[in-house]
Amino acid sequence: MVTMSFFTYLYNLSTSRKSKSLYGVNPSTQLGPKAALCQDATLSAVDISFNSCWHALLTYQCYVFTVSTIQDPSSQKLKWCKAPINALVIRKPGDREVDKVYKEVIELLVSKNLRLYVEEKTVDDMELSAQCVSMLTQYNGERDNLSDKVDFIVTLGGDGTLIHASSLFQNSVPPILAFNMGSLGFLTPFDVDGMGSAVDKALAGEMSLTLRTRLKCVIGQKNESDCVPHIKDLENGQTHKSSRLASYSVVNEVVIDRGPSPYLCHIELYVDRRHITSVQGDGLIISTPTGSTAYAAAAGASMMHPSVPAILVVPVCAHSLSFRPIVLPAGVEITIMVSPDARNTAWAAFDGRCRTELKHGDSLRITTSIYPLPSLCKRGQLEDWFGSLAECLNWNVRKSQKALDLELHSNTTTTNSSASLDSLADELTLT
């Protein structure tokens, strides 16, 4: 007799695989070494009866059971599989206001028995207790790999500080608690005044998460573009024989522009290996929904909530008025190559960094990464996003239209109506 546990096993097996579809890959639910995404979706939540499962088993010789569910973003919660031990603290450089808060955060986290990783030379001039010093480990972002060492991240700064933290983890990213001490702070919802309670809630797993989609970008040089492995294989740990293969994970956008050349940027755009169009203009932006409120918004794209599974393609000053921004499903793979007829090369920037020249024959392949950026929410996904739109961008802020004086408006309307009727009667008489 087939039991429900058998179907539970099949369901767990099907949902554990990283499937590829137009909606994008299933994101990894492992957030660093000790955190995970807590989802409420269970077998009982899916509308499947035992009879329908049994019928499916009898119908197919080779039983393949796949269930597609849409996870409610508001139910995404932080879950600690094990108590966090190591935390990474990243601060905005060159800001004296951050110095005092930086010291307070270090002392607070050490009091929670957390060992801390801090960037080199950021604590050299700081007066810390012997206990704090013994719990600190300094690292170099360009030399040291923190992937399997950090359980929890705290950032003090703005959006750039958060993006810098993301760049340190090309694969699974630990949960990030972002305090706003920058210029804009669209992605950093927490205030330093409530730092203690925010840290307590985060360590207790009492916060919701926003999984911000990242883009995986791989550059293949001439004569190697066709043999570059699948991007997902690179994310799963497989390496390429050529040392010239470069890959990046970006939070906001990839920008391809003409660089210092006076000529138009002339590149070819492919989607899932199908040629879509030739781009001629100042450049092209490939953006995540998170990046839709950054450079893409300035270039005329729509602003999208970060939970929407999509990739934005936005031209920069296109040499065609009909070339408007478009939104593609998150599961596609975009390939960009310099046109054979281009008068110059192109340049690519990844979250504004690592500018790389794309020569004739080189390819830039972009798709949705299976490793999102888990940022902790202060109030909730929608509340934080709409709050940032209003506070940082002054979205739809304008003076309200004055209300009408109903009594005066009624008299004016009656007078105008009588005058109109009299005028119409005069015209009929004359005719």
Side-chain angles (χ1 to χ4, degrees):
M1 180 178 179
V2 181
T3 62
M4 182 56 74
S5 60
F6 171 70
F7 293 105
T8 304
Y9 163 76
L10 291 174
Y11 173 77
N12 292 334
L13 180 63
S14 64
T15 55
S16 64
R17 296 173 180 170
K18 297 292 184 294
S19 62
K20 183 180 185 301
S21 68
L22 288 180
Y23 296 105
V25 294
N26 296 329
S28 174
T29 57
Q30 187 68 30
L31 310 176
K34 294 184 175 65
L37 177 66
C38 179
Q39 294 179 319
D40 296 333
T42 60
L43 185 64
S44 59
V46 184
D47 187 18
I48 302 174
S49 66
F50 178 83
N51 290 333
S52 62
C53 296
W54 179 247
H55 175 72
L57 181 61
L58 293 177
T59 303
Y60 297 97
Q61 296 287 339
C62 180
Y63 185 78
V64 179
F65 187 65
T66 303
V67 179
S68 297
T69 60
I70 299 177
Q71 176 69 29
D72 181 5
S74 64
S75 67
Q76 295 173 349
K77 307 289 184 181
L78 173 63
K79 174 186 176 182
W80 292 107
C81 303
K82 296 181 180 179
I85 298 177
N86 301 314
L88 169 65
V89 183
I90 301 179
R91 56 156 295 169
K92 176 184 177 182
D95 192 333
R96 294 182 179 179
E97 294 182 2
V98 182
D99 293 342
K100 181 180 178 181
V101 180
Y102 187 44
K103 180 180 179 181
E104 292 176 356
V105 168
I106 291 177
E107 294 174 342
L108 175 62
L109 295 177
V110 169
S111 68
K112 307 292 183 183
N113 296 320
L114 289 173
R115 300 192 62 88
L116 305 184
Y117 286 88
V118 295
E119 292 181 289
E120 285 182 340
K121 301 180 180 180
T122 58
V123 294
D124 292 348
D125 299 330
M126 191 175 297
E127 296 181 0
L128 296 172
S129 64
Q131 181 187 7
C132 287
V133 173
S134 65
M135 299 287 279
L136 295 182
T137 300
Q138 299 190 37
Y139 75 95
N140 184 300
E142 297 181 356
R143 181 185 64 235
D144 300 326
N145 184 5
L146 302 177
S147 298
D148 298 326
K149 301 176 182 178
V150 175
D151 308 321
F152 180 52
I153 303 175
V154 176
T155 63
L156 303 173
D159 297 349
T161 308
L162 180 72
I163 293 173
H164 171 63
S166 172
S167 67
L168 299 176
F169 301 86
Q170 293 300 301
N171 293 328
S172 181
V173 185
I176 297 181
L177 183 63
F179 291 99
N180 182 15
M181 298 194 72
S183 303
L184 188 62
F186 192 93
L187 307 179
T188 55
F190 291 93
D191 300 321
V192 293
D193 295 337
M195 180 173 57
S197 61
V199 170
D200 289 339
K201 289 182 178 179
L203 295 179
E206 298 175 355
M207 283 188 175
S208 58
L209 284 167
T210 296
L211 294 182
R212 299 186 180 276
T213 299
R214 297 198 299 174
L215 297 177
K216 188 67 176 181
C217 313
V218 178
I219 298 178
Q221 295 189 354
K222 187 176 181 180
N223 300 325
E224 291 186 347
S225 298
D226 293 335
C227 60
V228 171
H230 198 278
I231 295 180
K232 299 302 179 299
D233 294 335
L234 292 175
E235 288 195 312
N236 291 331
Q238 298 183 21
T239 58
H240 192 246
K241 295 180 180 179
S242 173
S243 59
R244 294 183 294 174
L245 184 66
S247 63
Y248 307 92
S249 294
V250 302
V251 178
N252 272 350
E253 73 279 306
V254 183
V255 179
I256 303 94
D257 57 52
R258 59 184 181 176
S261 173
Y263 298 111
L264 289 174
C265 180
H266 190 180
I267 55 180
E268 305 296 336
L269 175 65
Y270 297 81
V271 175
D272 282 344
R273 300 187 180 273
R274 299 179 183 88
H275 182 263
I276 302 302
T277 189
S278 296
V279 180
Q280 299 181 78
D282 280 351
L284 189 68
I285 302 171
I286 309 298
S287 171
T288 65
T290 295
S292 67
T293 52
Y295 193 2
S302 297
M303 295 185 290
M304 302 181 66
H305 189 275
S307 293
V308 177
I311 300 176
L312 289 83
V313 178
V314 186
V316 181
C317 298
H319 206 249
S320 170
L321 295 179
S322 62
F323 192 2
R324 310 309 302 162
I326 60 174
V327 178
L328 297 177
V332 302
E333 180 176 298
I334 297 173
T335 303
I336 295 172
M337 301 183 69
V338 177
S339 175
D341 299 329
R343 298 183 180 182
N344 55 295
T345 61
W347 288 79
F350 307 89
D351 276 340
R353 306 180 184 187
C354 304
R355 283 186 64 82
T356 305
E357 185 178 15
L358 299 178
K359 300 179 181 179
H360 290 79
D362 294 350
S363 68
L364 171 58
R365 296 165 60 184
I366 305 167
T367 191
T368 301
S369 172
I370 65 173
Y371 299 110
L373 178 72
S375 59
L376 295 171
C377 300
K378 180 180 180 181
R379 293 162 292 183
Q381 286 196 10
L382 290 176
E383 293 86 347
D384 285 359
W385 191 66
F386 280 111
S388 295
L389 287 180
E391 296 170 12
C392 301
L393 302 183
N394 291 327
W395 179 64
N396 198 30
V397 175
R398 58 152 296 185
K399 291 183 177 180
S400 298
Q401 188 178 44
K402 292 183 178 180
L404 293 173
D405 187 324
L406 297 180
E407 183 178 355
L408 179 61
H409 177 66
S410 177
N411 295 335
T412 303
T413 303
T414 303
T415 303
N416 291 338
S417 299
S418 301
S420 299
L421 291 175
D422 293 341
S423 176
L424 179 59
D426 293 340
E427 290 179 4
L428 293 175
T429 302
L430 293 175
T431 56

